Amino acid sequence: MNREDFPMLKNNLIYFDSGATSLKPSCVIKEITNYYENYSANSHRGDYDISLKVDKMLDDTRCKVKDFINANSSREIIFTKGTTESMNMIIFGFMKNYLQKDDEVLITKTEHASNVLPWFILEKELGIKVNYIPLIDNKVTIDKVKESITNKTKVISLAWITNTIGDIRPIKEITKLAHDNNILVVIDGAQSVPHIKTDVIDTDIDFLAFSAHKMLGPTGVGILYGKYEYLNQMLPLNYGGGMNSFFESDKTMEFKELPERLEAGTLNLSNILAFSKAIDYLENIGMDKIEKHEKELKKYLINKLKEIDNIEIYNEGTDSGIVLFNIKNIFSEDTSNYLNHYHICVRAGNHCAKMVKDELIIKNTCRISLYLYNTKEEIDKFIEIMKGNKEIFKVIL
Amino acid sequence: MDSNLRREIIIDNYQNPVNRKRIDNKDFIHVSTRSDSCIDNIDLYVKINNDIIEDLYFDGEACAITTSATSIMIKKIIGKNIQEVKELMNNYYNMIDEKEYDEEKLGELLAYSEIYLQPNRKKCAMFPFETLKKAIKEYENKM
Ligand SMILES: Cc1ncc(COP(=O)(O)O)c(C=O)c1O
């Protein structure tokens, strides 16, 4: 789809690592320079035209994000650096005050580090208990969530789609079950928001974190969504300019309302405003169409891979555009290196979810993550190279 | 060393590495390195007495370069004293960094003489030695 919009694709590259970061269309790249060349000013300070323009564009972008995930109010949308910062704000800015000793938090062993480590730290600090929902065939089932809930469970914190095996979790059902038991739901949307339609009202989730750079946007920008009542109780992790109404030498101070209260300091304006173009771009195509395209590609890819006899595929049954595989008896990094010789970018390793090795039989895998700009032709080229894998050591050594 | 020979040495040591075994014995220093790139993971079990590397095993999952370099390192350093090992390491690192080095002393390690052509693999070739460094440090701290 729309390959001519992506300058990186002119480099004769087969890019299969959009799960790490996506490529950017020209309209996003141009908007970054547009900011610096035509309306380079700070926000919230505006006594002159270009600063007012920045304010207006910032508001528009916030509204766009709100509509994109179908939130109630743009005050529920906070600009951050990325999923990682959003998760840390949720856990240390809100949960740290909300939870008490012995309260339980449910995660899984296939979560990304940013949905694990902050919880581990909170366990140390507060004496809460982080428990794992057992996975069935590496997936979360509603039954296992049910079995894992105790009267101490206060939070369920999950990736909507995992960056490892790419399973899509039944978030709406989980949230319903959670709310029936007075449990809050935190969603890591880093891999889902770019690929499937997100509706925070329909799913009723309480918090959502995601990154612009995985959805055609620039690096260094993320979103924190929270229901207003919770976000309004969140304590800032940063204090300073932009978030205060006033402060005096006698140490009285007052902070602004949402969203500014949680956005201290100068924002990453050029990239936030360019993110707005990424959302336009995705909406113009339509998330349904993107999801369908990826599904089709994945099916095509898996069928072709299966025709090669020494390939092992680990996540055939999952619905997202992520495929995990190895060449039999070849270490994943050697495979990614081999592919790199042909300018094919795939990721090798355990994909920063280091606990996955407890679950999958195999520790290290190659990961292909597809996006809207990938094509069957690229897959065909990749398959050609993979068919020659008997020569791998001739190529990489 | 020609490229076919280099490749042969690497593949041979990758597919049939020496001393691959988990050791559970207090006489051995156990060090584990997980590479920052989230991939290679090697455990070394080193027995050092009177500054001499008396025995050495490894365990773990790693790429062809790391695994073969570990196997070759093990063969080269068992029986050597720490000073000799450090000299070998220096010499080897000089080769990897395209500095002057003494070919005579490297033996099978010459299989990595052109690894600089693939900068992203340099760390793989150095990985076993980096892990060994940790064990030597632990030994020296105990002394
Ligand atoms: C599931 C998941 N969560 C969180 C993150 C972290 O995102 P970021 O590095 O943009 O903060 C990633 C990115 O790799 C991810 O895949």
Side-chain angles (χ1 to χ4, degrees), chain A residues 95-111:
Chain A
M95 296 299 175
K96 193 170 170 175
N97 310 299
Y98 178 79
L99 296 175
Q100 292 175 344
K101 190 173 181 310
D102 297 328
D103 283 346
E104 292 175 5
V105 174
L106 288 175
I107 64 171
T108 72
K109 288 185 180 171
T110 46
E111 299 310 312

Side-chain angles (χ1 to χ4, degrees), chain A residues 331 333-334 337 348 363 396, chain B residues 40 61 63-64 118 121 123:
Chain A
F331 192 66
E333 194 187 8
D334 289 325
N337 229 281
K363 282 187 204 169
I396 66 169
Chain B
D40 297 301
E61 229 201 321
C63 67
Q118 299 187 62
R121 308 311 302 270
K123 66 170 177 22

Side-chain angles (χ1 to χ4, degrees), chain A residues 44-45 238-244 247 256 260-261 263-267:
Chain A
H44 315 312
R45 331 255 145 120
N238 295 310
Y239 294 86
M243 57 80 66
N244 70 76
F247 55 98
K256 286 188 182 164
E260 281 85 8
R261 194 195 312 145
E263 294 176 346
T266 297
L267 291 168

